[in-house]
């Protein structure tokens, strides 16, 4: 089931044919899988026995993978099992000293900022429970889609560890009242509440989530990569600016967009009533 109005879209005109899967070299072997298909990079959290916890090793691997996906047209983060991610590895935090804990939180901040500022569109595909830093990961992505049985929570307050770092991305993804409700009560919200609050943008039945994720990623990947990257960069800049500054910088971006090769090609294709031939770079 999909709860948003859908529009007819042109079929992707991609020419990529590669499909690569590799397992990353964390100490917890195979806990993060990386694949690439049709110019789309997929990162899969693959440690369901530990609820896909974001240990420091997993955080470092995610950072490396996102950096290496810089040439991709779209990046999808998903998981195996019924928990998208439970957040930080609490056993790791408990056994670490203050310096090690500071490193963990500094690196998770690096990861979240890297995602939010990434010029490659990043989609979270959630099928299950996302809590604490796992919920933070969802909030950091440009888009998030989920199954109808997914839930989201920042339950740190329940164990005496307020979800302060997750609150940074959460408070920028949902309204203030919903963010404080989640942070103060620790109670999970449903997929529908997450949709209404702005944490996710689409909901599907669990059986349809993977195919719909692929469909959406392919739609995005079919667009002009230089245009999409320019648009994301401007969006991130203008949303942190005053209304007047945002309007001025966005007008300049539109002019820059028209000067791009793909900007000229897209406009010409529209006027000539044909499909555009985007630059493959």
């Amino acid at each position: 089931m999909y709860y948003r109005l859908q529009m007819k879209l042109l079929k992707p005109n991609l020419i990529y044919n590669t499909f690569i899967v590799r397992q990353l070299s964390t100490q917890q072997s195979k806990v993060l899988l990386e694949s690439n298909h049709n110019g789309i990079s997929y990162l899969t959290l693959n440690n369901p026995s530990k609820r896909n916890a974001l240990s420091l090793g997993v955080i470092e691997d995610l950072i490396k993978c996102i950096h290496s996906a810089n040439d991709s047209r779209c990046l999808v983060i998903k998981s195996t099992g019924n928990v998208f991610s439970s957040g930080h590895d609490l056993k790791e935090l408990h056994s670490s000293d203050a310096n090690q804990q500071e490193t963990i939180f500094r690196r998770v901040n690096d990861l979240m900022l890297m995602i939010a500022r990434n010029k490659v569109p990043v989609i979270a595909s959630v099928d299950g429970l996302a809590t604490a830093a796992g919920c933070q990961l969802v909030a950091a992505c440009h888009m998030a889609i989920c199954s109808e049985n997914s839930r989201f929570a920042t339950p740190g307050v329940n164990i005496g560890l307020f979800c302060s770092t997750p609150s940074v991305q959460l408070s920028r993804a949902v309204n203030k009242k919903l963010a404080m409700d989640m942070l103060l009560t620790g109670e999970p919200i449903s997929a529908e509440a997450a949709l209404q609050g702005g944490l996710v943008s689409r909901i599907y039945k669990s059986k349809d989530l993977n195919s719909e994720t692929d469909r959406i990623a392919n739609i995005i990947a079919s667009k002009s990569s230089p245009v999409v990257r320019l648009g994301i960069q401007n969006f991130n800049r203008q949303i942190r600016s005053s209304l007047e500054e945002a309007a001025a910088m966005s007008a300049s971006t539109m002019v820059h967009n028209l000067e791009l090769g793909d900007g000229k090609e897209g406009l010409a294709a529209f006027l000539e009533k044909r499909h555009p031939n985007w630059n493959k770079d």
Side-chain angles (χ1 to χ4, degrees):
M1 184 179 296
Y2 174 30
Y3 294 92
R4 281 191 51 196
L5 177 65
Q6 298 191 47
M7 298 180 293
K8 289 186 177 180
L9 295 161
L10 298 176
K11 292 182 179 179
N13 55 349
L14 301 179
I15 62 170
Y16 300 92
N17 294 309
T18 59
F19 184 80
I20 304 166
V21 178
R22 68 185 176 96
Q23 295 169 347
L24 303 180
S25 57
T26 55
Q27 292 179 348
Q28 309 91 339
S29 178
K30 303 180 183 179
V31 300
L32 182 64
L33 306 179
E34 181 183 28
S35 63
N36 186 283
H37 184 56
N38 283 351
I40 303 166
S41 292
Y42 294 85
L43 299 180
T44 304
L45 299 170
N46 187 45
N47 195 11
S49 64
K50 288 195 173 183
R51 297 164 64 86
N52 291 316
L54 297 178
S55 66
L56 181 58
V58 172
I59 292 168
E60 294 291 356
D61 272 346
L62 281 168
I63 290 172
K64 291 175 185 176
C65 287
I66 293 170
H67 180 75
S68 67
N70 190 53
D71 292 331
S72 299
R73 290 178 173 268
C74 188
L75 173 63
V76 175
I77 301 176
K78 56 183 184 176
S79 66
T80 58
N82 59 8
V83 176
F84 175 77
S85 175
S86 59
H88 287 290
D89 185 331
L90 296 182
K91 288 184 179 179
E92 181 180 60
L93 285 176
H94 184 69
S95 62
S96 300
D97 61 27
N99 288 332
Q100 293 168 325
Q101 291 166 351
E102 183 178 355
T103 297
I104 292 169
F105 291 118
R106 175 174 54 81
R107 292 303 281 163
V108 80
N109 280 340
D110 290 342
L111 170 62
M112 302 303 169
L113 290 172
M114 187 181 196
I115 292 172
R117 295 173 177 172
N118 207 310
K119 294 181 182 179
V120 176
V122 183
I123 303 173
S125 180
V126 183
D127 188 15
L129 181 65
T131 67
C135 184
Q136 180 184 8
L137 181 60
V138 175
C141 293
H142 298 124
M143 288 178 59
I145 61 179
C146 72
S147 64
E148 58 189 359
N149 65 319
S150 294
R151 294 180 300 155
F152 305 85
T154 49
V157 68
N158 296 334
I159 61 169
L161 184 62
F162 199 88
C163 283
S164 294
T165 47
S167 75
V168 175
Q169 275 70 39
L170 181 66
S171 63
R172 286 160 172 78
V174 305
N175 64 68
K176 179 181 176 181
K177 294 293 190 296
L178 178 58
M180 290 305 297
D181 188 311
M182 294 174 67
L183 291 163
L184 292 172
T185 68
E187 293 185 342
I189 63 170
S190 66
E192 182 63 32
L195 177 67
Q196 294 174 357
L199 184 57
V200 303
S201 55
R202 306 181 185 217
I203 303 174
Y204 296 101
K205 291 184 177 179
S206 184
K207 66 181 182 64
D208 298 325
L209 183 64
N210 284 336
S211 61
E212 289 298 326
T213 298
D214 292 343
R215 183 184 68 82
I216 294 165
N218 274 284
I219 288 172
I220 294 172
S222 73
K223 313 304 182 188
S224 163
S225 185
V227 170
V228 168
R229 290 172 182 236
L230 179 65
I232 290 175
Q233 184 179 36
N234 181 76
F235 182 90
N236 286 336
R237 289 174 57 208
Q238 66 82 21
I239 206 166
R240 299 192 301 266
S241 305
S242 69
L243 183 62
E244 292 78 11
E245 291 171 337
M249 72 174 63
S250 296
S252 296
T253 299
M254 294 291 285
V255 174
H256 184 193
N257 196 155
L258 286 168
E259 294 174 346
L260 293 176
D262 279 353
K264 295 176 181 178
E265 166 60 16
L267 194 57
F270 177 81
L271 295 174
E272 296 166 11
K273 295 180 172 58
R274 61 175 175 81
H275 292 294
N277 295 310
W278 302 130
N279 190 320
K280 299 178 182 64
D281 295 333

